[in-house]
Amino acid sequence: MTPTTPSFFEAQLPALLSGRRDAPAFWMLGILWIPLLEAHQTGGLFSVTEQLMPKDSGAHTKHVHNVDEWFYVLDGTVDFELEGETSSGQDGDSLWIPRGTVHSFNVTSDVCHVLNGYTPGGFEQVIKGLARPAPKRELPPRTEEPSPEDIAAAQFLFSNYWTARADDPWAKSFAR
């Protein structure tokens, strides 16, 4: 039997308030990650992570997920490439990326502040498992070269259960 994600009405979850002041914070790939709502809190239905990203950061590698993803731009600008088409997002814009969509993105402002969500949830566990706890809720210090931990994290991020590089042969199982 294949497990399924419960519907909204089947979840039977208690209401909850989750705030950034109580959420853990992490540094990875030059980005501040703050998981605000985790899959275990939503019955697996979705997760939401706040991100603070510097200019030229993002997922430059074309990739595909087996889950739906969305972005809400709180501040700054970011270019998205979706199935070969480029769109620019800015303050107040929301972007929906259905599972199986080949995409990439790049921050074009000095800093971009977004909410990033997944349904079903769980991707935040990949971040928590790979990233370093952030001693401050700010962007990590800029370095000329990525750390060995960030290189290993980037390699894992693009070759795991959640994400595949679009040119990986097994990514075709995610494609729409």
Side-chain angles (χ1 to χ4, degrees):
M1 177 182 261
T2 304
T4 59
T5 301
S7 76
F8 178 79
F9 296 105
E10 295 170 327
Q12 303 281 323
L13 298 170
L16 76 123
L17 174 64
S18 180
R20 71 186 314 259
R21 67 195 158 277
D22 300 322
F26 300 92
W27 284 347
M28 184 177 68
L29 304 172
I31 296 171
L32 172 67
W33 308 75
I34 304 172
L36 298 173
L37 283 169
E38 298 185 36
H40 72 272
Q41 297 171 296
T42 67
L45 294 173
F46 67 96
S47 59
V48 178
T49 300
E50 181 179 0
Q51 293 171 244
L52 200 58
M53 303 179 289
K55 185 176 181 78
D56 296 326
S57 66
H60 302 128
T61 302
K62 290 181 184 172
H63 62 286
V64 63
H65 304 288
N66 65 345
V67 297
D68 300 321
E69 180 178 18
W70 62 267
F71 283 86
Y72 180 78
V73 181
L74 296 163
D75 188 42
T77 56
V78 57
D79 285 347
F80 295 96
E81 185 179 328
L82 305 165
E83 300 285 354
E85 299 288 324
T86 301
S87 299
S88 294
Q90 60 185 352
D91 309 9
D93 288 345
S94 188
L95 176 73
W96 176 254
I97 306 170
R99 63 192 73 196
T101 302
V102 174
H103 65 286
S104 62
F105 68 93
N106 181 59
V107 172
T108 54
S109 56
D110 287 339
V111 176
C112 188
H113 188 190
V114 302
L115 294 177
N116 183 216
Y118 293 88
T119 186
F123 184 73
E124 75 285 353
Q125 296 306 315
V126 175
I127 300 306
K128 289 173 71 173
L130 294 174
R132 309 179 287 292
K136 297 179 184 178
R137 290 174 182 265
E138 59 188 35
L139 287 172
R142 275 248 201 220
T143 60
E144 292 298 315
E145 296 295 322
S147 70
E149 296 88 2
D150 277 353
I151 292 170
Q155 289 170 337
F156 182 83
L157 273 176
F158 289 105
S159 185
N160 66 75
Y161 172 79
W162 293 96
T163 308
R165 282 191 340 256
D167 60 359
D168 279 346
W170 69 278
K172 290 180 176 72
S173 66
F174 290 173
R176 300 179 339 138

